[in-house]
Amino acid sequence: AGCEKLVVEGKVDATISDVKSIEVTTNGYFKGNAEVESAVIAGTYEGSLKVHGHLEIAPSGVVKGGVSYKTIAVANGGKLLGTIETIEG
């Protein structure tokens, strides 16, 4: 908790808050819950993800679980599996 940007390059199992952005690199794996302003997923994210701003899923990215976001970009090859909700406003 309490950092500007969390970069996941290995395996992380956690619940995060007070983090502005999260980036899961190609070899990264995040399991847990996060509520952030922005997210870039190039590896695997599993759990609940709430993005108040922009969510970007790279060609190698996989997001599994409950996802809510304001805006989204999914590259060709990126996967979004689970429940999806848009945040209005």
Side-chain angles (χ1 to χ4, degrees):
C3 68
E4 183 76 16
K5 182 176 185 178
L6 174 66
V7 178
V8 178
E9 295 180 337
K11 185 175 181 181
V12 174
D13 189 346
T15 295
I16 63 170
S17 61
D18 297 329
V19 175
K20 188 170 182 178
S21 66
I22 184 171
E23 178 183 347
V24 180
T25 64
T26 304
N27 296 321
Y29 177 84
F30 183 95
K31 182 175 183 180
N33 303 312
E35 187 170 341
V36 295
E37 286 299 316
S38 64
V40 177
I41 311 298
T44 302
Y45 184 102
E46 188 174 345
S48 174
L49 176 60
K50 186 170 186 175
V51 182
H52 293 281
H54 187 69
L55 169 60
E56 182 177 330
I57 302 173
S60 57
V62 178
V63 178
K64 302 175 190 176
V67 180
S68 58
Y69 56 85
K70 190 167 186 179
T71 62
I72 189 170
V74 181
N76 189 20
K79 294 180 176 69
L80 183 54
L81 312 165
T83 59
I84 303 162
E85 180 182 3
T86 303
I87 298 172
E88 299 294 328

